[in-house]
Structures are given as structure tokens and as C-alpha cells.
Amino acid sequence: MKQLKLTGFIFFLCFLTESLTLPTQPQDVDNFSSTQKFIEENLEYITIIAFAQYVQEATFEEMEKLVKDMVEYKDRCMADKTLPECSKLPNNILQEKMCAMEGLPQKHNFSHCCSKVGAERRLCFFYNKKADVGFLPPFPTLDPEEKCQSYESNRESLLNHFLYEVARRNPFVFAPTLLTVAAHFEEVAKSCCEEQNKVNCFQTRAIPVIQYLKAFSSYQKHVCGALLKFGTKVVHFIYIAVLSQKFPKIEFKELISLVEDISSNYEGCCEGDVVQCIRDTSKVMNHICSKQDSISSKIKECCDKKIPERGQCIINSNKDDRPKDLSLREAKFTDSENVCQERDADPDTFFVKFTFEYSRRHPDLSIPGLLRIVQIYKDLLRNCCNTENPPGCYRYAEDKFNETTEKSLKMVQQECKHFQNLGKDGLTYQYLIRLTKIAPQLSSEELVSLGKKMVTAFTTCCTLSEEFACVDNLADLVLGELCGVNENRTINPAVDHCCKTNFAFRRPCFESLKADKTYVPPPFSQDLFTFHADMCQSQNEELQRKTDRFLVNVVKLKHELTDEELQSLFTNFTNAVEKCCKAESPEVCFNEESPKIGN
């Protein structure tokens, strides 16, 4: 397989990715040709990602067969582009070849998708993806010395295996992001294999790569979930708010053009069409740098840089300066006598303009917070425009906006206070209990993961000056992950209501949820409260995982207990572990203490 040609990846606002090796001045080249060249040169890697994400259970050997078929297809079309098969969309060809692999559709349960055609087949493959990857074996790990020997003797095989294993465990992450992770992995391997202390080097340098993957995965799943559950209009409003905050000088017309490109990009990427995703993200990034003068004064130097410095520069650039002539508030939305008439003339454009004007004036607010303001304004006008005196009614809109923001701010302040009082571990246990009570139908692994991610939002944000926006943005991503990407995902009536009713007010909705009354706990099992000496042999991280899973399983089993009773039971557990691991005979101690824990 050819060398991985990933010299250029641009990330915009940590939300957009580009995977093209483009010249220094992208506006002076044929962007489509450059994109096509990248796709042809990296077809093997693109195929690995697509197949591993569509058919997560497939073996590496099965994936290699498909890669061979796709390379042969590419070679035929390069030799004669007039062949009928060469006019088909790449994703359709990929899925056709997957369906044609003897016995594979039946073995991995996707034959029902193969009986469909066109958009129905594409969506079927998408809905076949599984977010909970607990059915897969643990991620294979190699000793650093073995890893380096493998890299030196056969780097292609090591990279292919790495990409395959990462892609099947991250079925909703966009192809450009996964290719970037692979490129970073190779950089780490190349550097650490030259170090004397390889273990420490790999451990240290792998952390930012893992964090990068988790951050992009969370955001991409969040926006794709919004797209599939609420449609393109919600994605439009998300990015109008994001871009208006980042680039307050951007002209409204330019903003709309850019947002339309981004929304189109997400449609292909969210469906898992890796080739279309690469093409569309390239178009977005080319748009940004070709119109830099009208978008932001902060990115001119960034767009003049060579790749990949250009992308890193754009990410790290500060929000653009507030235009000097930009008033603190846009009076035309609250003081004009003709607000209702303007709304009625073109409702969509009217509220998009409001979102633009309000967001560029409030860079301190979270994206969910801004979307809540938009919804409040819509509801207010729906009421006011039906009264005898509409201007007298909507004149107090700013008070409503401030009231909504204040509620969100108090919620964040209360959560950060809990973090300060309880500490990281205490807050983790509190969220594990809360999440398990409201969504006990989720697997223990998923609940533990969600709880940890929620607590990470507080440990990351609660000491920052922009605490409010940071917490609200990150907590909203965790709830987006809970709700899932698939529009057909069902957990329980109360959670489903919060996930599907109103995107902007999802977090306040979850805050009001109580324990799920429809849940029927599993039969009691003493095995849950039976522990052995191997608990004492677990490393810190593994012991923490076992502890978290125990708490979640206890909440599932004893759903009727109060938080205080659960905390008391959990304290009995931790005390027993501490006592028995210090005992002369831990096994005997656990035999004596285990029956007491569940009582």
C-alpha cells in the first residue's frame, strides 16, 4: 500500500476537517482535481474506514479482500473511464462490492440492506452501525518494543490494522478525522521508536491523539444526531451561531453561503459516504480561505501559511474583534413597530438574521444557550403577534432573554459548586447514579462512559473564566451522545421525549427528569455482591472501572433506593475492598464481607 499521504489536515473551530494535500494557495487551483487526486491516492485507506464502519464485525482479512476489489476497480477506471461501472458514485460501488462478497452479508447480518437500492440502501447501512461497541474484543495492544519492531518491519500492515481497529470502534467519526488520527499515530510511532524509554514516550504522546479523537467524535455525533432527528434547519442554526460568534464582522450573505456549504457537508459525512465527505469538507475549507477578507481579519496570515500550519493557525485564532460600530443590542428586533410583518414576510430568513445579530453580540454565551434564546424569541412573537398591541408585548423581549440566560447560568454555577464540594470522584458517583436512574436501559459500559464524560466537562471548565459557555457546550455534547445519532434510538419514554422534542432545551429537559418508573429491574443476584482477591490485583484504572460498573449495576438492581441509601451501600463496598486488600488473606476476607455489602 502506498505511503499515507496526509500532509494536510485543516480543522476549523474544532468542528470541520479537511483531508487534502493542496498547494499553498488553494484559491488558485482546481479544488475538485486536487480532491480527486487525494481520493485516488488514498483509496485503500478510505476503503478500510468505510468497510470497518459499515460492517464492524468484519475481520481484517475480509476487509483486505474488499480493499483488493476496490483497488482493481480504480485501476480499471483509470485505464478506461468510459466503462459503465466508472460512472457510479463511489459509495454505491463500495456497497455493491460489499454485498457481492460471498456469504458476507448473511454472516454479518446486512443482507437486508443489499436488497435495497439508492438512498434506501445508503441509509440502511448507516442505521446498521452500532454506537455501543461492547460486542467487539478489547482494543489490541502491543508492547512498545513489539510495536516498534512491527513498524520498522511492516509499517503498512501496522497502520492498516490501526486504522481498521479505530474505525470499527468509532463508526460515526468522519473519514478525514480518522485519517488524521492515523497520521498522528504514525508520527508518535516514528518519534517514540527512537527513544530509549519507549513506554513513557508512547503513554505521554498518545494522550493528545486520544483526546483529539474523542473531541471530534463527540461533536460529530452530536451534530449528526441533530441532523437526523431534527433536520438541516437545526444544523443551519447551530452553525449560524458558531460562525457569528467566531467571525462577528462577516457579512450576512457570506455567512449564509458558508453555512449552506457546511450543512451540505454534514449530510454526506453523517451518512458515512466517505468520498463525498472528503469532497464536501474540501469545498468548505476552500471557501473559507478564498473569502478570507470578507470572513475575518484574523485568518489572513493563517490562509497564507503552508499546510498543515494553516489549519492549526485557524483553530488557534481568537474570535474576531467586535466591529466598532456594532451596537450592544439590535433594536430592530424588539423596538420596531413592524416586527410581526417582517417575520410573516419570510419567517426563516427573519429568525436566521436574529440568530446572527444576537450571536455576534454575545460571544460569551454557549451555542445551546443562543439556540434557547432563538426559541424563546420565536415563542414570544407567536404570542405577541396575536395580541392587540404586539409592540407593547415584544418590547420586553430582552428581559425574557436575560431571564433564560440567568437560569442556565445558575444551573452551571450550581454544578460547578457541586464539583468543588464533592471532588471529581464524588461528582462521578453522583452522575453515575443519576444517569442510571433516568436511563437504566443503557448498558453499564455506556452509562460509565457518559458519567465520566459529564464529569470531564466540569473538571475542564469549572476553573475557567468562560465557565458558563464551556460547561454548557460540553454537557450538551454528552447528552447528544446519550440520545444517539440514530433517529430510531429508543431508551424510555421520558428520555426519548427530551431527546426528540426540542434540541435547544434538551439540557433543561434532562435536568427535570426523575428515576424511570417504567423500568423493571433484573432479578436479584448475589453474584453482584460477591468479590474475590483479584480485586486487589487490579491496577488503579481497572479497579476504577470495576468500581464504577459495580455502582451502575447496583443502581439498576436496587432502582427504588434513594441516592443516600445507594451512597451508603457504595461506601460499604469501598470500605470492604480497602479492608480486604490489606488483610493477610484477601479471599477469606471477601468471603466474610461480601454478603454484608448488599444488605
Side-chain angles (χ1 to χ4, degrees), residues 575-586:
N575 289 342
V577 172
E578 185 176 354
K579 175 183 176 181
C580 292
C581 287
K582 291 179 180 177
E584 188 175 335
S585 176

Side-chain angles (χ1 to χ4, degrees), residues 40 81 94 100 137 160 173 237 322 343 351 396 409 480 506:
E40 290 167 0
K81 294 182 180 179
L94 179 80
N160 290 347
V173 175
F237 276 97
R322 180 192 178 98
R343 182 204 65 168
F351 287 114
Y396 301 101
L409 179 59
R506 183 180 277 177

Side-chain angles (χ1 to χ4, degrees), residues 267-287:
E267 288 181 24
C269 293
C270 290
E271 278 192 16
D273 187 336
V274 294
V275 172
Q276 193 60 42
C277 181
I278 289 170
R279 285 176 176 160
D280 288 342
T281 49
S282 169
K283 180 181 177 183
V284 170
M285 299 313 300
N286 193 56
H287 184 156

Side-chain angles (χ1 to χ4, degrees), residues 383-423:
N383 175 52
C384 291
C385 292
N386 287 321
T387 63
E388 292 183 1
N389 181 19
C393 177
Y394 57 66
R395 185 177 299 127
Y396 301 101
E398 285 288 345
D399 294 338
K400 290 281 188 184
F401 302 158
N402 294 337
E403 181 184 319
T404 302
T405 300
E406 192 62 32
K407 282 182 182 177
S408 299
L409 179 59
K410 284 182 179 178
M411 185 166 64
V412 168
Q413 289 173 334
Q414 185 178 13
E415 288 165 331
C416 285
K417 187 176 180 181
H418 283 157
F419 166 59
Q420 290 161 2
N421 293 336
L422 298 172

